Amino acid sequence: MDSKNIQKNAMQKSAEFTFTPPPEAPVFEPTPEEFMDPLGYIAKIRPVAEKTGICKIKPPARWQPPFSLDVDKLKFVPRIQKVNELEAITRLKLLFLEKILKFWELQGSPLKIPMIENKTLDLYCLKFWVDEEGGFENCNSPKKWRKIANTMGYSQSTITMNFLKSNYEKILLPYEIFEKSKADILKTVKKSDCKVEVKEESENGKEMFKEICIESITKIHNNIDDEQPHTSIKKTKTGSDIKIEPGCTKSKIDFEKIKRNRELRRLACYGPGPKMPGLNDEEFDITKSRKRPRYDLDPLAIYICAICQKDHRDDLLLICNGCSDTYHTFCLKPPLNVVPDGDWRCPCCIAEEVHKPAEAFGFAQAEREYTLQQFGEMADKFKSDYFGMSGHLVPTNVAEKEFWRIISSVEEDVTVEYGADLHSMDHGSGFPTKSSLNLYPGDQEYVDSGWNLNNLPVLEGSVLRFINADISGMTVPWMYVGMCFSAFCWHNEDHWSYSINYLHWGEAKTWYGVPGSGAELLENAMKAAAPDLFKSQPDLLHQLVTIMNPNILMAAGVPIYRTDQNAGEFVVTFPRAYHAGFNQGYNFAEAVNFAPPDWLHIGRECIMHYKYLKRFCVFSHDELICKMALEGDRLDLETALETQKELVHATAEEGRLRALLSKNGLKNVRRTAFELLGDDERLCEVCKTTCFLSSVSCSECKHMSCLQHATTDSFCSCALEKKTLFYRYDMDELHIMLQTIDFRVNSFDKWMTETKNILLPTAPDIGRLQKLRVLVDEAEELKIPKCILLTQLKDEYTKATENIEPIVIELDDD
């Protein structure tokens, strides 16, 4: 489906809310024996589970780890989530609505959104579908308005069609005309920057200085208006007719006339009424505005229209509340039929306010701190009040449908709180650890368990154990305290690693997953469905603040699966798998990342993707590979094979780029220990990647670049002699490192070949027992992982030792 059709489909689905649950993700129930090896079991289910992106694992019934946190001591400040602002299309609608409201408010005509068929009129969708029909001018037939009403989910009656047309003409068309003509208006308006200072005596006799625009000074003895103003109520109200009292000079009369006109005009501009949130309250303070010195200290000011540069028809001149410029009502585009009663701003000020860049969307912190019990009481009360029944009685499918209904509604104002990303290093872990207090004898099993999320990232066979630093949330667990409707938005894990989440207790957590093979489909579908949102914030999907109805994504061809995670269950996400979801009620979960050997090549692809996006890395992939190669004796067979592949690739690429730099004439080289530098000290200036094997630095502009961008103009244009190649290992050292890992891999290959040969039925019996014993010892030395071949070898060795007949030596007495 192309981008335009995806957007149309998204608009249609947002108009008529429906939700069809996606198909279920697979659920696995390991046997107690399978459960003994977490990484082995996940590798076993991977061919099936990675096709859905997420899966659920139910531990054996007897595996029930104790909850080790002190519920009275844990305190946290949750994030605030306004639920419907999480959804991309709903957020677009809210932003558009804010612009429309601000546009009318600033013109002194506060807008009340009309209702249709017991719902608020969807102005964003109305404009979208009118634009699809070629604009308002082309929507000149009942047939087109009937089509628009139908696509918006309204009835196709004449009343409805006329309602849509009239409200478009009344509310959206003026905004549309303003948008199209604002550039011309801004060119036409002449700003008067040249000013002179005029001395004037104040009431206490001291000299005061004021600024007067030169263009506004005219001879006060001349007539103020080019034309005689028409007699009108407005003219009388603004003080155009002033009788000359005996003894008054003309200049004094003109001064009083201007002063009264100005004051009354100002009273008309600063009318009562609600003000838009987000605007400066001081600007709208009537008392302060009336005391502005630029009005009261300028008795010579003549009000001239900023567009036509004339001062006639002062009864139809409006003073901008923002910049004090004046405009005729009939010079504006679109023109105003009447003088507004409320505050009014000129096109320049409106354009500035309406088109202020939107702030990056994020979650604010709540104002209060909770204990677990306090948060639970609040969460349980919210859910029972919302559904009108005890929270645990609400079916999961009912809460699920209600969540997506709220998400898609502009009118629903549901706000929840989420205790997300609580660091276990700060608060402790829900799993028992060696440092846990008051451990019972039976708890030790769970302290040592590989399924304990404090252990899983650093298990034998996990490559993350070679990262020295404790990366919070990645190698050290984070905890999550949820309530009904609190949500986590579409995202995939840092470096496209695996993740695992355990729900300690509480109500279910509903998950949605997209396999890694569908990641780009999801990204493209979300960008197509809400293009304006991603245009202003291209890296939106990396911010974890945006969700979208799975049905919209599924209609665009994105494969999506769901699952309900209950207390005591694990959910595993696979490399590059996007996932999102929400909490059914009060619960407590813990999550961490891990990376078995099969992740290594995906991790490298992720780094290339990050380079393209100019996104910061959490750690250096090259540094991880080199560290693993240098500690080859700690690697099992699969890890050594994957490390070998990655090091071959890294060495070849490094050799190619260094040769290219040398060919270009770069001669300054120096060794440096990149691992001793902070990550911010070894970032590529261009792609933001973390350098480790090498970098190029410029002594002139002080910039650093990875080798890939060192030869491009995007780095710097300084002279070549100002640049230095910094390297961690020279090419000979990299090749020796590669030979070392090759030797280990070859040792594995040799062991496997010899093992297969000795297990053949045709293998010779002479020396067989000794050979079997040597191969078993080598397997332990080489850290051969559990596999069928190793099991067969050990079984054969056991049988051979059992079948040995004792040798009796008879001694001849003679």
Side-chain angles (χ1 to χ4, degrees):
M1 188 182 291
D2 60 33
S3 297
K4 197 61 185 175
N5 285 330
I6 290 174
Q7 190 178 13
K8 285 183 180 180
N9 180 69
M11 290 299 108
Q12 285 176 327
K13 287 193 176 295
S14 70
E16 268 189 59
F17 170 73
T18 55
F19 180 75
T20 304
E24 292 291 324
V27 179
F28 298 96
E29 299 186 35
T31 63
E33 292 74 24
E34 290 175 322
F35 196 70
M36 294 292 289
D37 180 12
L39 294 180
Y41 184 71
I42 292 170
K44 181 179 178 180
I45 65 175
R46 178 166 66 92
V48 174
E50 69 180 351
K51 292 177 182 177
T52 57
I54 61 170
C55 72
K56 183 164 68 173
I57 298 176
K58 291 184 175 182
R62 67 166 297 278
W63 198 82
Q64 295 182 359
F67 186 66
S68 297
L69 281 175
D70 189 328
V71 294
D72 297 320
K73 289 184 179 179
L74 176 63
K75 293 182 179 180
F76 62 95
V77 178
R79 297 170 181 171
I80 298 172
Q81 292 182 335
K82 189 172 181 182
V83 180
N84 64 350
E85 288 185 355
L86 299 175
E87 213 278 333
I89 296 171
T90 310
R91 195 187 307 163
L92 264 182
K93 292 180 179 181
L94 290 168
L95 289 171
F96 179 75
L97 194 58
E98 184 181 354
K99 283 186 176 184
I100 295 296
L101 290 170
K102 192 177 287 187
F103 170 75
W104 284 106
E105 186 77 26
L106 293 175
Q107 294 190 100
S109 304
L111 178 67
K112 185 177 180 182
I113 308 299
M115 300 287 291
I116 177 173
E117 298 178 3
N118 297 320
K119 294 186 292 186
T120 301
L121 177 61
D122 192 335
L123 293 173
Y124 181 83
C125 275
L126 179 58
K127 185 174 189 317
F128 176 83
W129 290 116
V130 169
D131 287 345
E132 283 298 304
E133 294 298 322
F136 184 74
E137 293 178 359
N138 291 324
C139 293
N140 47 18
S141 67
K143 182 179 178 181
K144 289 196 173 184
W145 285 104
R146 185 176 292 108
K147 181 180 177 182
I148 290 169
N150 182 47
T151 53
M152 291 184 68
Y154 301 133
S155 66
Q156 300 172 47
S157 65
T158 304
I159 295 173
T160 299
M161 292 188 294
N162 289 337
F163 179 87
L164 293 176
K165 182 178 180 181
S166 63
N167 277 285
Y168 190 98
E169 192 170 12
K170 177 184 174 183
I171 298 172
L172 295 176
L173 189 59
Y175 177 76
E176 196 175 287
I177 294 170
F178 166 76
E179 286 288 286
K180 291 177 181 177
S181 61
K182 70 182 178 186
D184 295 332
I185 291 176
L186 294 178
K187 289 177 184 176
T188 305
V189 173
K190 297 178 180 178
K191 295 289 181 183
S192 303
D193 296 325
C194 185
K195 303 187 178 195
V196 295
E197 287 184 342
V198 177
K199 289 184 180 180
E200 178 180 296
E201 286 195 356
S202 64
E203 294 178 1
N204 56 16
K206 293 183 180 180
E207 287 184 343
M208 298 177 64
F209 289 86
K210 61 189 180 65
E211 292 183 336
I212 304 175
C213 297
I214 292 176
E215 294 175 3
S216 69
I217 299 177
T218 59
K219 293 182 179 180
I220 59 174
H221 295 290
N222 296 341
N223 290 330
I224 294 173
D225 297 321
D226 292 339
E227 302 174 12
Q228 289 297 326
H230 302 286
T231 303
S232 67
I233 295 175
K234 192 70 182 175
K235 169 189 160 187
T236 305
K237 281 186 176 181
T238 55
S240 297
D241 294 335
I242 301 176
K243 294 180 181 179
I244 301 176
E245 300 293 338
C248 290
T249 64
K250 183 170 179 57
S251 61
K252 184 176 180 181
I253 293 167
D254 287 338
F255 172 80
E256 291 296 328
K257 176 178 177 179
I258 294 167
K259 186 175 179 180
R260 288 182 61 190
N261 277 345
R262 180 170 60 252
E263 180 64 21
L264 289 170
R265 280 203 192 96
R266 196 154 59 247
L267 286 173
C269 287
Y270 289 87
K275 307 299 182 289
M276 279 297 297
L279 295 178
N280 190 337
D281 294 334
E282 187 174 336
E283 290 181 340
F284 285 91
D285 188 292
I286 297 173
T287 307
K288 292 182 180 178
S289 297
R290 286 176 179 167
K291 294 180 180 179
R292 284 181 179 171
R294 56 183 161 190
Y295 290 120
D296 299 334
L297 299 180
D298 188 2
L300 302 178
I302 300 298
Y303 291 96
I304 298 173
C305 175
I307 295 176
C308 69
Q309 298 296 305
K310 294 182 180 181
D311 61 352
H312 68 301
R313 295 307 306 268
D314 66 328
D315 56 319
L316 298 177
L317 272 172
L318 300 174
I319 301 177
C320 174
N321 187 57
C323 65
S324 305
D325 281 352
T326 50
Y327 293 77
H328 285 121
T329 56
F330 49 81
C331 288
L332 297 168
K333 291 183 182 179
L336 293 178
N337 297 325
V338 294
V339 175
D341 294 328
D343 301 326
W344 179 84
R345 291 208 180 187
C346 69
C348 301
C349 291
I350 290 175
E352 183 180 350
E353 284 290 344
V354 170
H355 293 285
K356 277 184 178 177
E359 293 183 8
F361 181 78
F363 303 129
Q365 293 292 106
E367 294 183 358
R368 67 165 293 187
E369 185 179 59
Y370 290 90
T371 63
L372 275 177
Q373 181 178 349
Q374 290 168 340
F375 189 86
E377 290 169 355
M378 178 275 295
D380 289 340
K381 184 177 185 304
F382 168 85
K383 186 174 182 181
S384 59
D385 288 349
Y386 189 92
F387 288 100
M389 65 176 78
S390 180
H392 69 277
L393 297 177
V394 181
T396 55
N397 63 328
V398 171
E400 180 179 32
K401 189 169 183 178
E402 182 62 12
F403 173 77
W404 290 110
R405 188 191 69 80
I406 298 168
I407 278 283
S408 64
S409 173
V410 174
E411 300 168 275
E412 294 289 347
D413 187 14
V414 177
T415 301
V416 297
E417 298 179 5
Y418 194 14
D421 300 342
L422 304 180
H423 297 208
S424 60
M425 288 189 293
D426 299 332
H427 301 283
S429 170
F431 287 98
T433 63
K434 294 176 182 177
S435 59
S436 297
L437 301 175
N438 304 319
L439 285 175
Y440 292 97
D443 294 345
Q444 191 61 42
E445 173 192 352
Y446 301 104
V447 172
D448 300 331
S449 173
W451 292 94
N452 182 325
L453 299 194
N454 296 280
N455 302 331
L456 188 61
V458 292
L459 287 178
E460 191 89 10
S462 172
V463 303
L464 294 185
R465 67 195 176 106
F466 291 93
I467 297 177
N468 292 330
D470 290 333
I471 306 172
S472 185
M474 194 158 192
T475 59
V476 178
W478 274 354
M479 297 173 296
Y480 301 84
V481 188
M483 65 177 288
C484 185
F485 300 145
S486 60
F488 51 104
C489 299
W490 286 115
H491 70 287
N492 50 26
E493 299 301 316
D494 287 329
H495 290 251
W496 297 348
S497 60
Y498 288 73
S499 79
I500 184 166
N501 183 295
Y502 181 73
L503 191 61
H504 284 279
W505 47 257
E507 297 192 59
K509 189 188 291 281
T510 299
W511 291 73
Y512 305 92
V514 174
S517 58
E520 290 186 13
L521 282 173
L522 178 136
E523 292 166 358
N524 294 334
M526 287 190 71
K527 290 173 184 176
D532 294 341
L533 211 57
F534 284 87
K535 186 178 179 181
S536 60
Q537 204 172 344
D539 63 341
L540 192 59
L541 279 173
H542 299 147
Q543 307 306 316
L544 283 74
V545 294
T546 306
I547 206 165
M548 187 172 281
N549 191 321
N551 291 170
I552 293 174
L553 298 171
M554 291 162 70
V558 181
I560 296 184
Y561 301 86
R562 72 172 302 286
T563 193
D564 289 320
Q565 178 191 18
N566 298 303
E569 296 176 344
F570 291 96
V571 166
V572 175
T573 73
F574 288 78
R576 209 186 179 182
Y578 271 96
H579 46 283
F582 71 97
N583 296 293
Q584 295 269 348
Y586 178 46
N587 58 24
F588 190 102
E590 190 165 351
V592 78
N593 293 100
F594 65 100
D598 63 82
W599 164 84
L600 282 172
H601 78 278
I602 301 169
R604 174 166 46 82
E605 290 176 8
C606 180
I607 293 299
M608 300 308 295
H609 188 68
Y610 280 7
K611 277 175 168 277
Y612 172 73
L613 296 176
K614 299 181 180 179
R615 183 181 173 184
F616 295 100
C617 305
V618 177
F619 57 85
S620 167
H621 191 79
D622 287 337
E623 184 176 354
L624 174 63
I625 296 300
C626 290
K627 194 170 191 309
M628 291 169 68
L630 289 170
E631 300 183 35
D633 56 338
R634 293 175 59 192
L635 305 182
D636 58 38
L637 172 59
E638 188 180 0
T639 307
L641 284 168
E642 294 296 334
T643 305
Q644 180 194 41
K645 293 175 187 175
E646 288 303 302
L647 192 58
V648 166
H649 181 275
T651 302
E653 183 68 5
E654 189 69 15
R656 184 184 69 81
L657 291 172
R658 289 190 193 183
L660 181 60
L661 285 171
S662 178
K663 183 180 177 181
N664 290 344
L666 183 64
K667 296 180 179 179
N668 301 326
V669 293
R670 189 183 305 172
R671 185 190 291 270
T672 189
F674 284 93
E675 66 271 25
L676 300 180
L677 300 174
D679 283 357
D680 57 338
E681 298 178 88
R682 48 176 173 148
L683 288 179
C684 172
E685 192 74 25
V686 181
C687 65
K688 309 303 178 189
T689 198
T690 304
C691 298
F692 175 73
L693 287 176
S694 57
S695 71
V696 172
S697 293
C698 177
S699 59
E700 185 75 18
C701 63
K702 309 300 181 186
H703 286 172
M704 175 186 281
S705 169
C706 67
L707 265 57
Q708 186 179 340
H709 293 108
T711 56
T712 62
D713 294 335
S714 53
F715 173 38
C716 78
S717 56
C718 302
L720 203 60
E721 56 268 18
K722 298 289 184 181
K723 298 175 183 178
T724 302
L725 169 67
F726 288 90
Y727 65 93
R728 179 62 183 88
Y729 303 106
D730 61 33
M731 292 308 301
D732 288 341
E733 290 170 326
L734 285 175
H735 283 110
I736 292 171
M737 201 183 296
L738 190 55
Q739 288 171 6
T740 304
I741 198 74
D742 285 345
F743 175 77
R744 185 155 183 81
V745 169
N746 291 334
S747 299
F748 284 125
D749 286 340
K750 181 174 176 290
W751 177 88
M752 291 178 70
T753 302
E754 291 179 354
T755 302
K756 287 177 182 177
N757 290 335
I758 200 69
L759 294 176
L760 290 172
T762 56
D765 291 333
I766 300 174
R768 189 167 183 271
L769 178 62
Q770 186 178 359
K771 188 65 176 176
L772 286 171
R773 181 171 183 173
V774 169
L775 288 172
V776 169
D777 291 342
E778 281 184 5
E780 187 175 342
E781 183 183 340
L782 292 171
K783 298 183 180 178
I784 301 295
K786 292 179 182 178
C787 59
I788 296 174
L789 194 62
L790 180 60
T791 303
Q792 289 176 343
L793 176 68
K794 288 183 176 180
D795 289 346
E796 196 67 25
Y797 176 69
T798 303
K799 288 178 184 178
T801 53
E802 288 174 353
N803 292 335
I804 294 177
E805 295 181 3
I807 299 173
V808 179
I809 302 176
E810 294 182 3
L811 299 176
D812 189 352
D813 292 338
D814 297 336

